[in-house]
Amino acid sequence: MIKSVAGIIYLKNKYLFQVRDKKPSIWFSGFYGFFGGLVDKGETPNQAIKREILEELNVSITKSELLINLNFKTKKLEEKRDRYYYILNLKKNFEKKLIISEGAGFKFFSIDQIKLSNMIPWDITAIYYHQLLIKKKEFRPK
């Protein structure tokens, strides 16, 4: 099973997304997705998200909270995936100091600006769940 992490950075009602490189050797080339990556051997998912965000954005996380853990297998992926999505808090004004070291860039999108056709599919699930929580939608039986 492949374990990976993704960081949800939500600032002023917008999500921060990585613009993925347009390389035929990577999954979802040219798509938008959350920053993150693989969990290294001997590392916890929480340690992995802190390392990945520091490596990819050159910023430290002040707080991380697990939002959702998705375990899935798709038609095209050969191995099962275990993906951990964390809500991240970063230092104030972090967006002015971002140094992207992976991907083709970054972009902030509001929920209304997100286009399903160019988003990593499982990231959409995490966004939808996050939106339910922040809008305090009741989804549990009474």
Side-chain angles (χ1 to χ4, degrees), residues 12-36:
K12 299 176 186 171
N13 296 316
K14 292 187 176 187
Y15 292 96
L16 175 63
F17 293 105
Q18 177 192 52
V19 182
R20 294 182 56 80
D21 287 315
K22 288 193 176 188
K23 293 181 183 175
S25 61
I26 66 169
W27 288 93
F28 300 104
S29 173
F31 278 53
Y32 292 96
F34 291 121
F35 286 92

Side-chain angles (χ1 to χ4, degrees), residues 51-120:
R51 175 185 51 76
E52 286 286 347
I53 296 302
L54 186 58
E55 287 175 4
E56 294 180 5
L57 298 174
N58 198 39
V59 294
S60 296
I61 295 170
T62 58
K63 182 181 174 188
S64 61
E65 182 181 358
L66 182 65
L67 173 71
I68 191 170
N69 173 218
L70 301 177
N71 186 287
F72 60 94
K73 182 169 174 39
T74 71
K75 195 174 185 177
K76 296 269 183 176
L77 299 175
E78 287 124 25
E79 283 190 64
K80 284 186 178 180
R81 304 286 166 142
D82 200 14
R83 188 145 171 94
Y84 297 82
Y85 287 88
Y86 287 89
I87 301 293
L88 304 180
N89 291 349
L90 305 175
K91 290 182 180 176
K92 189 174 181 174
N93 297 320
F94 77 89
E95 68 278 12
K96 296 175 183 170
K97 300 173 187 170
L98 288 178
I99 300 171
I100 304 298
S101 60
E102 204 170 295
F106 69 93
K107 185 128 177 138
F108 282 95
F109 286 123
S110 70
I111 193 71
D112 298 328
Q113 294 172 314
I114 294 171
K115 293 181 182 168
L116 298 181
S117 62
N118 62 351
M119 293 293 303
I120 294 176

Side-chain angles (χ1 to χ4, degrees), residues 124-140:
I124 294 167
T125 301
I127 293 165
Y128 181 72
Y129 184 59
H130 183 247
Q131 286 291 306
L132 286 174
L133 293 178
I134 61 176
K135 292 179 178 176
K136 297 179 173 49
K137 297 263 185 181
E138 191 55 49
F139 54 88
R140 295 177 292 191

